[in-house]
Amino acid sequence: MSVPRPDGPGASALEGAAAALCGLVAMAAVAWLALWLLEAGSVGSPVAMAMALAAMAVGGSMSAGSVNTANSTGSSGSMGSILSGLFGGGGGGMSPSMSGAASVMPLGVTLVGSVVLWLVFSRRLRQRQVTARELGARAAGAGAAALLAFLLVATLAHGTITMPASAMSKGLGGGQSAGAGAGGGALGGMFGGGSASSQDTTMSYDVHVGSTVFGALVWVTVVLALGCLVSRRVRVPLGGAADRVRPGWAPSLSAVVRTLLVLAVVPMVLVTFVGVVVGGRVGTAAGGALLLAPNALAVLLTLGVGTPWTAATHPVQSQGGNPLASIMGALGGGQQTTAQQQPRTEHLGSLSAGGWPLWLAALAVTAVILLTCAFVAVRNTVPAHSRPLHRYDGPLARHLGAAERFGLVTAVVLGSAVWLAGASGNLGVSMFGSEMGGTRAELTGSVLWTVLFGLLAGGVAGFLGSLARTADLYGGMTSPRRILARKSPSAASSHSPAPGTDPGTLEAPLGNR
């Protein structure tokens, strides 16, 4: 039987580059499918928007601005037409304009691209053991291809979208000086934005190249590092300290990552299938779930460990130094801010937002997931690598070691999930170089509290999981295989440990394989 020869650096780099390109193609395909389900083709080009979503999936941020056209200045003879003509409404820089920005990661797109990247990258690695040089060439090829590919994607991810007048007439008021409510404030009356006959607004959008390219490199690095650490079929020589600490830490990391992956992918696939078959509003909901289901999962699980999540909307007040602001305030007739324009802040764990049922549901789901992951992690940890990080050799040493490792892994994973699931965006109206009004929205969670609570919850789950594993080994041996093992001659040999001895002699043959 011949042993396969290792690939050269060039072939390894090409395979790594192919893995990165396959991941990008998968991202674009999932983004396009979600936009198709959302019927986004009615407001802009789905291809350009899919590229923008793929760029945002690795950390790129998007900005938008209004496009001034000859038909966007309002009706003939209106004050909007007069001011637009005076201030360059046909394309000048003094006309009223809209601007916006969004910073959100559609983790559904990120997740699919990450899975495809690792599967293609590790295809050859699952067949034989590779050398460190070959692994480095593969990783370098993947990183270089991701850098160039996402640079191209961010450059091409620009286009225009048409915002309906109904959407523009809500939430853009900033108070007395910049009302644009449904009834028509000062700004809406002057520029034709507050009446039922308002025309749609065309906005151009693009993606920041720098944040996209940097995010692509970080994405490739994190996916490949996680894959090498948690994969059971890939034998990767990381070398040095990584090979020494991997046997003790990889089972906990693998259990958490694999469980979260299943919990995110299975609902996405099912909901998408139903949305494609049924269509209509169900299809629209499926499109949103395809993009943001992992974001919702991150919020739910971190709510369960006690993370404070806040959803807030804030109207942007006009800047006091703008001379036009006073005119708008005078023409607005002292109109007060409407209820829709009031700042609103909802704490997702509070009674006003979800209440005790939501928090208890999140707590129950999180507790079951963490306990299951902890039990699996302890079962797959070799006893020699389950000692605590500090010097302690008492009877609870193995349980404390499991609690420490699983707690740290849980804190890091959940803290990263909170950081990635946060979102923010703004939309406003500007004139004379300053904002006249607008709305800012954000969804934020505390990373610091998540790390602290995750460390505590993960530690408790790891300790209980280790106790459950010990009870399963000694008190729950009721399966047919274990009963036969008890009755076999080897089980009754003189080498069998007496009751009360160290359980390490039993753990290796009974499940830690």
Side-chain angles (χ1 to χ4, degrees):
M1 181 178 178
S2 61
V3 179
R5 299 178 58 185
D7 296 334
S12 299
L14 288 177
E15 290 191 1
L21 294 179
C22 288
L24 174 57
V25 171
M27 284 183 173
V30 171
W32 183 89
L33 177 59
L35 292 171
W36 178 73
L37 290 171
L38 292 170
E39 299 180 352
S42 59
V43 298
S45 170
V47 175
M49 287 188 286
M51 289 188 178
L53 286 176
M56 296 174 69
V58 295
S61 56
M62 184 180 69
S63 59
S66 62
V67 177
N68 294 321
T69 62
N71 296 326
S72 64
T73 59
S75 59
S76 176
S78 66
M79 182 65 72
S81 300
I82 298 174
L83 286 179
S84 252
L86 288 175
F87 300 140
M94 302 295 291
S95 61
S97 61
M98 298 189 63
S99 62
S103 178
V104 57
M105 287 187 68
L107 293 181
V109 180
T110 309
L111 184 62
V112 174
S114 302
V115 172
V116 173
L117 168 62
W118 174 249
L119 290 179
V120 178
F121 183 88
S122 62
R123 181 185 64 86
R124 188 68 61 86
L125 306 183
R126 293 192 296 268
Q127 300 173 359
R128 59 177 175 82
Q129 186 173 1
V130 300
T131 62
R133 180 182 179 184
E134 185 178 353
L135 177 64
R138 285 175 177 272
L147 189 151
L148 296 177
F150 278 95
L151 176 63
L152 180 61
V153 166
T155 304
L156 298 178
H158 62 84
T160 59
I161 56 176
T162 302
M163 304 294 291
S166 58
M168 292 294 96
S169 63
K170 298 179 181 179
L172 290 179
Q176 297 180 5
S177 59
L187 192 61
M190 295 185 70
F191 300 120
S195 63
S197 61
S198 301
Q199 297 183 359
D200 296 343
T201 301
T202 302
M203 300 185 69
S204 64
Y205 62 90
D206 56 14
V207 177
H208 296 175
V209 177
S211 59
T212 302
V213 172
F214 177 75
L217 293 177
V218 174
W219 168 66
V220 170
T221 303
V222 171
V223 170
L224 298 186
L226 275 178
C228 292
L229 287 174
V230 306
S231 178
R232 298 172 183 174
R233 298 180 58 188
V234 176
R235 295 180 296 172
V236 180
L238 299 179
D243 284 334
R244 291 194 298 270
V245 302
R246 181 167 54 177
W249 292 88
S252 297
L253 185 61
S254 176
V256 175
V257 171
R258 288 172 182 271
T259 302
L260 294 182
L261 188 63
V262 172
L263 290 175
V265 170
V266 172
M268 283 173 54
V269 173
L270 294 178
V271 172
T272 302
F273 177 77
V274 174
V276 171
V277 173
V278 177
R281 294 184 177 180
V282 177
T284 302
L290 187 57
L291 293 176
L292 301 175
N295 300 61
L297 177 64
V299 174
L300 178 66
L301 294 182
T302 51
L303 273 176
V305 299
T307 301
W309 278 94
T310 302
T313 58
H314 306 282
V316 178
Q317 303 291 336
S318 60
Q319 299 180 7
N322 190 340
L324 192 59
S326 301
I327 301 176
M328 294 297 179
L331 293 177
Q335 184 179 10
Q336 298 296 322
T337 304
T338 64
Q340 292 181 349
Q341 299 166 2
Q342 292 287 352
R344 296 186 59 184
T345 301
E346 291 287 354
H347 301 283
L348 300 188
S350 66
L351 294 176
S352 60
W356 290 105
L358 175 62
W359 184 80
L360 289 177
L363 176 61
V365 172
T366 305
V368 172
I369 292 173
L370 290 181
L371 288 174
T372 303
C373 291
F375 181 82
V376 174
V378 174
R379 184 186 64 184
N380 293 325
T381 302
V382 178
H385 298 93
S386 62
R387 312 305 298 178
L389 303 180
H390 50 82
R391 293 184 177 180
Y392 173 72
D393 294 326
L396 298 178
R398 183 168 302 155
H399 306 312
L400 291 178
E404 291 171 354
R405 288 175 173 81
F406 192 79
L408 288 173
V409 168
T410 302
V412 172
V413 172
L414 293 184
S416 302
V418 170
W419 179 62
L420 294 175
S424 63
N426 64 78
L427 183 66
V429 179
S430 301
M431 195 169 185
F432 291 108
S434 59
E435 284 187 299
M436 299 301 300
T439 300
R440 185 177 70 255
E442 58 185 3
L443 174 66
T444 57
S446 174
V447 177
L448 178 59
W449 283 111
T450 304
V451 172
L452 294 177
F453 291 148
L455 185 63
L456 177 62
V460 173
F463 189 85
L464 295 178
S466 182
L467 290 177
R469 175 59 178 167
T470 303
D472 181 61
L473 287 173
Y474 294 101
M477 297 181 64
T478 57
S479 66
R481 186 181 66 178
R482 292 176 178 176
I483 292 176
L484 292 175
R486 288 182 186 178
K487 295 181 178 180
S488 63
S490 59
S493 64
S494 59
H495 299 286
S496 299
T501 58
D502 184 69
T505 56
L506 280 179
E507 286 205 30
L510 288 181
N512 287 318
R513 298 190 290 267

